[in-house]
Each structure stands twice: as C-alpha cells, then as structure tokens.
Amino acid sequence: MAETNIILWLQTLSNPVLDYIMLGLTQLGSEILFLVAAVILYWCVDKKFAFRFMNVYILGVSLNEGLKAIIRRPRPFVAHLDEIRSIGDPTHGYSMPSGHSQSIANVSVQVCRRFKGTKAGAVLLPFGVYLTIIVMFTRIYLGQHYLTDVLAGCAVGILSALLFSRLFDFLGDREHWLFVAVLPLTVLAAALLAGTGTASSVPDVMKVLGGYGAVTVGYFVEKRFVRYAVRTEAKWKYAVRLLLGLAVTLALKEGLKYAFPENNAFLYGYLRYFIVAIWASLGAPALFKVVRI
C-alpha cells in the first residue's frame, strides 16, 4: 500500500509540462540510449569493448525479462485501475523488475567500468548514477512501476553488468567465435516463437534475437577480414562517421517497417533488426574503411 501511495502522491504533481519532461527523460532507459552508445563505442572508441558492451547489455535484458516472466507482477496502472493512471502510452508486460531501470544501470556500470581510473571516468560515474536515479524516478511518476520494481531493476542491471563482463574477461580474444553458437540459436528461437504466434512479447524478443545474431556475425567478419581502424587523428572523421552511420541505421530501421509485413513476426522483427544490426556492425565499418573516414 505504501508503494501505491508514493505513485498517487507523485501523480498529484502531474501537469502537461512535467508529464512531457518525464516522458522524455524516461527514454534514457529505453533501447535508444543503448543503440546510440553502442554505435559510438563501436565506430569511434573501441570495437572490442563495444562488442562486449552489446553482449552484456542483451544478456542483462534477457535476465530481466526472464525474472518478469517468473514473478508476473501486474503494473500499477493495471492493479489499481481506478487510482493510478498510465501517463503516456501504457507499457506492456509485467512490472518487476523494471526494464528501463535495468537498462540504464547496465549501460552506466559498463561505461564507468571501461573508463575507470581516467579523467572521463571521474565524470561518467556521478553522471551515470544521476541518470539511473532520474530514470527510476520517471518510471514511478508515469505509473509504470512500483518503487521495489525500479530498485530490483537497478540491482539486476548492476549485477548483470558486473557478472557478464567477467565472462568476457574469461573469453579474452576469442569472443568473436560466439557467432558459431549464437547465430543458429537465435534463428532457431525466432522460428519457434514465430510458429507459436501467441506470446505478446514475441515482437520485442524477435528484435533482440535478430540484432544479437547479426552483431555476432558482423563482429566476427569485421574482425577477421575488414579490420577497420577506429582511431584517427582527424577528429572531424568521427563526426562524419556518426552522422552517416546513424542516418543509414535509422533509415533502415524505419524504412524496413514498410518492406516487411507487420503480422509476420519473423520478417518484421528478426529479419528487420538483423539487417539493421549487420549494417551497424559490418556494413558501416567496411564503408568507413573504403571512403577512408
């Protein structure tokens, strides 16, 4: 009951301006921040770390979704329909642990761990803590989660980032061989899910499977054959990479919506995100090398 009262009190502060701000800030815990961070790291900072970053993030998301399926806690605006409202579009699925909180905590821990002991790390640590708290707060304000949901999501994000990063420490320079196991597993899982066509979470799962399968293949091929050099003395090249690369990425992501039928989970979810991710992990670096940026 105390958790319900927290949401009710926060929603007494609701107004169009504050709602708009909260809806914007909560996107920091969505896949958008992850995608932007991933391509910046992959194209401009450190490909090896970027591959680890993407894998650890996706493993964290998978763990979080598994816990949701086990706990099966209804969202506040569902459990208290007459009291709590969903500000903005209602989020689908179960409530605990919070996916947005897991996401921002996972990203923050990984980035801070990568730059630990550097001047950048000294800035990134408090910034990551601040962003994580902000996202957790927005999820409660918007009526999507209880306090314990966001605390649990934050804990899953921190622990998954630390534990799964250790796995890649163990793999060392052999991490690119993950594609041998990952690609067939993602195709099989996607085909089985497409065959059922019943689970409400299938579209999101398809996106994860397609993106993950493509990243493992793209990284393997790029590392073995393209070998694009990330570092450059010409700083303007970083900006050109990001502008060109992100423009094509977003064009593919949105354009392929119209190329594949939405009612076909495999084509619309798995294949669409496979194409987007193979461009980001292999196509873009190959293009950057050819045009020398």
Side-chain angles (χ1 to χ4, degrees):
M1 188 63 182
E3 289 189 291
T4 303
N5 289 335
I6 292 173
I7 302 173
L8 290 172
W9 180 79
L10 287 176
Q11 292 198 338
T12 63
L13 307 175
S14 174
N15 62 71
V17 175
L18 187 57
D19 291 354
Y20 184 79
I21 293 172
M22 292 296 178
L23 287 167
L25 290 173
T26 207
Q27 295 304 313
L28 293 170
S30 70
E31 64 180 18
I32 295 173
L33 178 66
F34 161 69
L35 290 172
V36 172
V39 296
I40 290 174
L41 290 168
Y42 195 80
W43 296 339
C44 303
V45 180
D46 183 341
K47 286 182 294 185
K48 184 180 179 67
F49 171 71
F51 181 68
R52 170 188 295 211
F53 174 80
M54 289 183 276
N55 274 271
V56 171
Y57 178 86
I58 291 171
L59 288 169
V61 170
S62 301
L63 174 61
N64 200 76
E65 291 301 312
L67 290 172
K68 279 188 178 184
I70 294 170
I71 299 170
R72 301 172 69 89
R73 187 183 196 182
R75 291 187 182 271
F77 62 83
V78 174
H80 303 276
L81 186 60
D82 297 329
E83 301 176 278
I84 297 173
R85 65 190 179 95
S86 172
I87 298 175
D89 294 333
T91 310
H92 301 294
Y94 294 109
S95 192
M96 177 183 275
S98 163
H100 282 67
S101 301
Q102 187 283 141
S103 177
I104 187 65
N106 187 301
V107 168
S108 298
V109 169
Q110 286 201 73
V111 173
C112 289
R113 190 173 183 265
R114 167 63 175 78
F115 293 98
K116 182 180 179 181
T118 66
K119 291 181 178 179
V123 175
L124 288 169
L125 179 58
F127 188 60
V129 171
Y130 173 75
L131 289 183
T132 300
I133 292 172
I134 288 294
V135 170
M136 291 166 66
F137 179 82
T138 65
R139 302 312 289 164
I140 301 172
Y141 174 91
L142 296 171
Q144 309 303 312
H145 290 286
Y146 298 100
L147 176 60
T148 48
D149 296 340
V150 299
L151 291 174
C154 180
V156 172
I158 294 171
L159 291 174
S160 63
L162 294 174
L163 292 174
F164 292 133
S165 290
R166 291 293 184 185
L167 170 64
F168 280 84
D169 289 340
F170 171 75
L171 289 172
D173 199 44
R174 298 164 295 176
E175 81 289 341
H176 59 290
W177 284 103
L178 280 175
F179 95 100
V180 175
V182 169
L183 180 61
L185 287 175
T186 62
V187 174
L188 177 61
L192 291 173
L193 284 171
T196 63
T198 55
S200 60
S201 60
V202 162
D204 291 334
V205 174
M206 285 292 186
K207 295 174 185 178
V208 172
L209 291 173
Y212 193 28
V215 164
T216 57
V217 174
Y219 180 72
F220 174 82
V221 176
E222 200 285 330
K223 184 175 180 179
R224 298 274 292 184
F225 303 106
V226 179
R227 300 188 183 94
Y228 172 65
V230 170
R231 298 302 177 90
T232 176
E233 294 298 322
K235 304 303 181 186
W236 62 268
K237 291 184 178 182
Y238 292 128
V240 174
R241 290 177 201 169
L242 292 175
L243 289 173
L244 175 60
L246 284 172
V248 176
T249 301
L250 293 174
L252 286 171
K253 180 177 178 293
E254 297 304 311
L256 289 173
K257 286 182 179 180
Y258 307 100
F260 299 126
E262 192 170 354
N263 61 351
N264 188 311
F266 186 86
L267 292 178
Y268 188 78
Y270 185 92
L271 190 56
R272 177 173 156 233
Y273 273 76
F274 188 95
I275 293 172
V276 172
I278 205 71
W279 153 257
S281 60
L282 176 60
L287 176 63
F288 298 158
K289 184 173 183 177
V290 169
V291 299
R292 298 182 179 180
I293 58 171

